[in-house]
Amino acid sequence: MASATTRGVDRIARAGTGALEQTGNIVQLFVDVARQTFARPFQWREFIQQAWFIASVTILPTALIAIPFGAIVSLQTGSLIKQLGAESYTGAASVLVVIQQGSPLVTSLLVAGAAGSAVAADLGSRTIREEIDAMQVLGINPIQRLVVPRVLAMVLVAILLNGLVAVVGIGGGYFFNVVVQGGTPGAYLASFGALAQLPDLWISTVKAAIFGVLAGVVAAYKGLNPKGGPKGVGDAVNQSVVITFLLLFLANLIITAVYLQIVPPKGS
């Protein structure tokens, strides 16, 4: 019994040590990416190719998810606000939820799931084929050559898709509120400025950029450190998606808490 308990404690200790070591390595890779971003020459060709690829695999799913997401937000908030007798604030509440929380999270999850997995698989396959080692032998920095363009491309596409989700989500919310719930178009549009304010749009863009950095760095780290050959690449892809999702929700919680403390709600 004592030996089993000891083995369990040792296993937990090893898992904790491995998690801390992995966290430190991810932070170190982030520092290296930030440093190599300003190194010359910048890989414009790789950056444009990766941005186009990431946009091509995420833009359609993002648009398709944004429509039902805006509809759900509109229906739920419209029903709740109608119970409270404040129908004139339906548009404001929907816009606030979509811009502040919905669009950055939807965008980041799709970028992490679709683009992040592709980046991890690409870099992982290069690693097991020893292309990364060959680049280092030739004096080429793989972080500056491969990782930086991919991370910056994910940031750019995340910011652009965030705007797309906001527009499509607000449009879908408007349609379902006016058509399904019988709301008035004028009241929906006029209430935009009742609760929402310009800093809400700024924090939405900042969130999208931070989430893009997190997704890119985690995907690159897992892609550069696969274990066990081709099977290890598949495991690295799965791990990158799971770790990114956890980090995104944690980062969203922290950013939202700080933002609400710094920027007071409108009308308060």
Side-chain angles (χ1 to χ4, degrees):
M1 185 69 176
S3 60
T5 303
T6 303
R7 288 196 299 271
V9 172
D10 292 340
R11 191 176 298 113
I12 294 174
R14 287 195 300 270
T17 303
L20 290 175
E21 181 181 358
Q22 191 169 132
T23 302
N25 293 335
I26 292 175
V27 172
Q28 181 61 49
L29 179 59
F30 170 76
V31 174
D32 293 340
V33 169
R35 185 181 303 143
Q36 293 298 324
T37 299
F38 302 99
R40 294 294 178 267
F42 183 77
Q43 304 298 322
W44 287 104
R45 182 183 180 87
E46 188 77 14
F47 169 73
I48 295 173
Q49 289 178 343
Q50 293 300 318
W52 177 257
F53 169 74
I54 294 171
S56 65
V57 299
T58 56
I59 187 169
L60 181 59
T62 301
L64 293 178
I65 290 179
I67 296 174
F69 176 78
I72 291 172
V73 170
S74 177
L75 293 174
Q76 188 66 41
T77 56
S79 176
L80 178 61
I81 290 177
K82 186 176 292 185
Q83 294 178 19
L84 298 175
E87 291 87 346
S88 59
Y89 289 96
T90 302
S94 300
V95 170
L96 198 62
V97 172
V98 170
I99 291 181
Q100 255 199 35
Q101 302 296 330
S103 57
L105 280 178
V106 171
T107 299
S108 60
L109 292 179
L110 284 170
V111 169
S117 58
V119 168
D122 177 42
L123 294 178
S125 63
R126 291 172 182 264
T127 301
I128 64 174
R129 291 198 303 264
E130 299 182 349
E131 291 183 18
I132 305 298
D133 295 335
M135 293 177 66
Q136 293 175 337
V137 170
L138 293 173
I140 301 174
N141 191 330
I143 295 178
Q144 191 262 344
R145 178 64 179 81
L146 299 176
V147 177
V148 170
R150 285 163 171 77
V151 173
L152 295 182
M154 293 182 76
V155 172
L156 175 62
V157 174
I159 292 174
L160 297 178
L161 289 181
N162 178 66
L164 174 65
V165 173
V167 172
V168 175
I170 293 173
Y174 171 84
F175 174 80
F176 279 89
N177 176 259
V178 174
V179 176
V180 177
Q181 294 182 313
T184 58
Y188 188 92
L189 297 175
S191 65
F192 278 11
L195 298 177
Q197 51 187 334
L198 188 58
D200 295 331
L201 183 60
W202 295 346
I203 194 62
S204 176
T205 305
V206 170
K207 279 184 179 182
I210 294 176
F211 294 164
V213 171
L214 288 175
V217 171
V218 172
Y221 171 75
K222 283 299 180 180
L224 294 174
N225 298 277
K227 298 178 181 179
K231 181 181 181 300
V233 175
D235 294 338
V237 171
N238 294 332
Q239 292 172 8
S240 70
V241 174
V242 173
I243 293 173
T244 303
F245 282 7
L246 295 176
L247 290 178
L248 291 178
F249 284 109
L250 178 61
N252 182 63
L253 173 63
I254 296 174
I255 296 172
T256 302
V258 173
Y259 171 74
L260 293 177
Q261 293 297 321
I262 296 176
V263 180
K266 192 171 183 180
S268 62

